[in-house]
Amino acid sequence: MTASHSDSLVVLFGATAGAYGAKLGSDERELILLVWQVVDLHSKKVGTLHKSLVKADNLDLSDQCREVSGLTPEGLGKAEPLDRVLQQFSQLVSSDLKVLGRSSYTLCSDGQLLIRQVLHPETSKKNFLLSDCFYSFYDLRKEFHTCYPSSAAVKDQTIKTMAEYLGLGTDETEEDFGVWQVKTMVAIIFSMLSESCNHIFTEPETVKYKYETGPCSKSETVDSETVIRARGLPWQSSDQDIARFFKGLNIAKGGVALCLNAQGRRNGEALVRFVNSEQRDLALERHKHHMGSRYIEVYKATGEEFLKIAGGTSNEVAQFLSKENQVIIRMRGLPFTATQEDVLGFLGPECPVTGGKEGLLFVKYPDGRPTGDAFVLFSCEEYAQNALKKHKEILGKRYIELFRSTAAEVQQVLNRYMSTPLIPTLPTPIIPVIPPPYTIATGSIRDCVRLRGLPYTAGIDDILEFMGDATADIKPHGVHMVLNQQGRPSGDAFIQMKSADKAFMVAQKCHKKMMKDRYVEVFQCSGEEMNFVLMGGTLNRSGLSPPPCLSPPAYAAFQTAAVIPAEAALYQPQALLPTTRTPQASAAAPPTVTYYPAQAAQLYMNYTAYYPSPPVSPTTVGYIAAPPGAVAAAATATHTPILPQPGALVRMQGLPYNTGMKEILSFFQGYQYAPDDYNGLIQLSDQARSVLQAPKEWVCL
């Protein structure tokens, strides 16, 4: 039994199968030794000194452990496992206290590593609970420095240096490993209790029993010395899982912020805020410790980064999160017409929502339109588990996804949607040096090859080295790296060869050849098939699938054209769009004028409406502005439509699937359109063209 002002101390020392001293616990090695002794603070008597070996799951001892402790795997193999040793510890301490006539005690250890970095993490991984006594302890080094301010700094203290400061003799060779440490610690405590010092143990270190959720305001001040970034988390991990990974360390209230990607999904990273810099420094020692089978990277972060992710300004969110110790569940994919009653009915009586309707928070755009997301509060884990069992059940005509969530994720999602402009804008365009124009291959001639399974670190130079002598047969500007929506390599590339025979030879020679540590598949394909994939379609054994950005009617009209998204057109008003072609006319049509950045500069087309994102190529379409003279010449030569001045393309996201032309026109009522100048870009039926007759200032895509 423990108390805030205990009448006894239990001096505790331990060792693991790995690192010793300042690095104790940093290598995730298991505990193999516990030594302890009870000290009566009033009578200054001591109980029996106990030493217990612990049988670890992995008995492979480090060289340092063997040298310092003198222990062997054979000796440890006969010991008891940790749970049994801790049971014996509680029984023997209670027995010693009874002999001394005392009832309460607090642990006292040499520093914080044994309690925070060894015992708590290991018992958490082995799924058994520590007794209450391990959640409060005295750090002998801190107490010693308080008693003797002129001694060395706390971080530089050891049992030996403290003993030397007091003039106590320590002969490590006379006693077993662990025994002399405990005896020396007891002697140090008695010196601190002497009349000359009269030290009182009053403020123990504490370990939080559980992580506390809560909101965070952007107006808060967050010390950068208390924040870390954890990377490599399983995508389904929750704030409680992260708190468990850092078990033994005190995380600040609401201090776990899961990071989301551009699609609002977790990206495997989290920012964690601790109560002080000391706890943060201990957290950094858990770099590459494991969560399940995955190792987690831990780095320093800043307070600004934490507030950017976790901070919020909405009063509605603050009120929603004001109910403490609630389990938060995120619902995704709700029908846009769903009401609070619909959600409560979907969850049912087996998982009651805290506060009824007050425990629901619908996520909306700035104009009040629903996003299909909502957050729900539950008062206990049982109700939350019942709700999670409804994952992918149907509400209306849609299946609903349910996930564990956090207060920081609520803030992050609300911040993201509430800051979304109605008409998204693009960053300032990059205008590099423009090389001579070139053409994108089209048609059914199989003069291209597709590389699949490239290492994500592979660049164009790696591809050229991979192809060897065949690089001489690549067309100028014929290497197309396929990128995903985040602008990162997707593992695919297309190569335009000078002839179908050259493409066949490359596919035969290089198929399943190794690049770095991966084999790469090489397939012969046509320019038409290459363009389908670069536009966002798929190419597999089942055939070609149209890009998700094109509906079936439009797809037929755009079969061989390189399509530029609306965002790209907004980059420059003079941007060129390639000519629409049909399969019959493609061979005779003049070449498309396409510009791209020199030196393979990376330009990414953002298809933000689709997930997973369709692949794209930085050289598929050129939306970097050419000189005005080149634009005019290209337009004259190829009849390529050029955006008029003034004018703009508007992209609409989040349309209901049953939206028709009339609904779109009604949405833009009061604006004006310009269909006639875009007949080359948008395939309109006669009926649609008659509806669109209006003064020419806006066009809607």
Side-chain angles (χ1 to χ4, degrees), residues 140-161:
L140 183 58
R141 299 184 184 187
K142 288 186 177 181
E143 298 293 331
F144 185 84
H145 189 73
T146 301
C147 185
Y148 303 101
S150 60
S151 62
V154 173
K155 64 178 182 179
D156 299 325
Q157 298 278 18
T158 64
I159 296 175
K160 191 171 184 178
T161 60

Side-chain angles (χ1 to χ4, degrees), residues 608-677:
T608 57
Y610 311 106
Y611 187 85
S613 56
V616 294
S617 167
T619 59
T620 301
V621 290
Y623 48 86
I624 295 301
V631 175
T636 303
T638 65
H639 306 289
T640 302
I642 301 177
L643 302 183
Q645 295 295 324
L649 299 176
V650 177
R651 178 183 181 184
M652 300 180 69
Q653 291 181 266
L655 290 171
Y657 296 123
N658 58 352
T659 300
M661 180 72 71
K662 291 183 179 180
E663 285 80 9
I664 295 176
L665 296 180
S666 176
F667 179 82
F668 283 105
Q669 186 174 2
Y671 295 94
Q672 296 174 318
Y673 318 95
D676 292 348
D677 289 342

Side-chain angles (χ1 to χ4, degrees), residues 2-4 6 8-12 105-117 119-120 132-143 185 201-208 248-250 278-279 282:
T2 64
S4 57
S6 303
S8 300
L9 294 180
V10 175
V11 178
L12 183 68
Y105 69 92
T106 303
L107 298 180
C108 180
S109 64
D110 172 34
Q112 306 201 26
L113 300 183
L114 175 62
I115 305 293
R116 296 191 185 275
Q117 298 285 68
L119 280 167
H120 278 282
D132 291 346
C133 68
F134 291 97
Y135 288 86
S136 176
F137 67 98
Y138 288 108
D139 181 344
L140 183 58
R141 299 184 184 187
K142 288 186 177 181
E143 298 293 331
M185 290 168 69
F201 292 83
T202 56
E203 297 182 4
E205 301 286 319
T206 59
V207 179
K208 288 189 175 182
L249 306 180
N250 293 339
E278 181 182 32
Q279 304 290 304
L282 291 175

Side-chain angles (χ1 to χ4, degrees), residues 60-320:
D60 182 20
L61 306 182
S62 69
D63 293 339
Q64 184 186 25
C65 175
R66 290 173 183 268
E67 180 181 351
V68 172
S69 69
L71 298 175
T72 63
E74 293 75 17
L76 294 174
K78 302 175 183 178
E80 297 285 351
L82 181 58
D83 55 343
R84 293 289 302 277
V85 170
L86 292 178
Q87 290 177 8
Q88 294 174 6
F89 170 83
S90 297
Q91 294 170 0
L92 292 172
V93 168
S94 298
S95 176
D96 289 343
L97 287 173
K98 188 175 181 180
V99 171
L100 293 172
R102 301 299 176 184
S103 59
S104 64
Y105 69 92
T106 303
L107 298 180
C108 180
S109 64
D110 172 34
Q112 306 201 26
L113 300 183
L114 175 62
I115 305 293
R116 296 191 185 275
Q117 298 285 68
V118 178
L119 280 167
H120 278 282
E122 183 173 342
T123 55
S124 177
K125 289 178 181 178
K126 294 182 176 179
N127 294 313
F128 61 87
L129 297 176
L130 283 171
S131 61
D132 291 346
C133 68
F134 291 97
Y135 288 86
S136 176
F137 67 98
Y138 288 108
D139 181 344
L140 183 58
R141 299 184 184 187
K142 288 186 177 181
E143 298 293 331
F144 185 84
H145 189 73
T146 301
C147 185
Y148 303 101
S150 60
S151 62
V154 173
K155 64 178 182 179
D156 299 325
Q157 298 278 18
T158 64
I159 296 175
K160 191 171 184 178
T161 60
M162 289 187 287
E164 290 175 350
Y165 182 87
L166 297 174
L168 302 176
T170 56
D171 188 353
E172 303 175 19
T173 60
E174 291 184 0
E175 304 283 356
D176 290 339
F177 177 73
V179 173
W180 78 263
Q181 284 91 340
V182 170
K183 286 186 174 181
T184 304
M185 290 168 69
V186 170
I188 293 171
I189 291 171
F190 283 155
S191 295
M192 295 167 61
L193 294 174
S194 64
E195 294 181 0
S196 59
C197 297
N198 198 25
H199 183 73
I200 301 175
F201 292 83
T202 56
E203 297 182 4
E205 301 286 319
T206 59
V207 179
K208 288 189 175 182
Y209 282 87
K210 64 178 182 178
Y211 167 67
E212 297 177 275
T213 61
C216 176
S217 172
K218 284 189 179 294
S219 61
E220 287 188 35
T221 300
V222 178
D223 185 359
S224 293
E225 297 299 315
T226 64
V227 182
I228 61 94
R229 180 183 294 273
R231 182 178 298 163
L233 300 166
W235 69 268
Q236 73 274 25
S237 57
S238 67
D239 56 347
Q240 298 296 337
D241 296 322
I242 296 170
R244 186 176 181 182
F245 175 80
F246 290 109
K247 184 70 173 176
L249 306 180
N250 293 339
I251 299 174
K253 183 177 180 180
V256 177
L258 295 165
C259 301
L260 307 180
N261 61 18
Q263 289 75 40
R265 300 171 187 267
R266 296 171 186 171
N267 64 4
E269 294 188 8
L271 293 170
V272 185
R273 176 188 179 190
F274 294 90
V275 295
N276 54 44
S277 59
E278 181 182 32
Q279 304 290 304
R280 194 282 304 265
D281 292 341
L282 291 175
L284 292 172
E285 293 295 328
R286 300 197 187 184
H287 179 59
K288 291 196 174 180
H289 283 204
H290 288 76
M291 180 184 288
S293 59
R294 304 187 63 166
Y295 71 82
I296 308 301
E297 300 173 37
V298 182
Y299 304 100
K300 291 182 180 180
T302 66
E304 289 77 9
E305 289 176 305
F306 181 83
L307 286 176
K308 184 177 179 180
I309 298 299
T313 58
S314 169
N315 291 331
E316 183 183 13
V317 176
Q319 184 177 358
F320 176 77

Side-chain angles (χ1 to χ4, degrees), residues 568-583:
L570 288 172
Y571 252 83
Q572 292 288 333
Q574 303 92 350
L576 296 181
L577 296 178
T579 306
T580 305
R581 310 184 195 177
T582 61

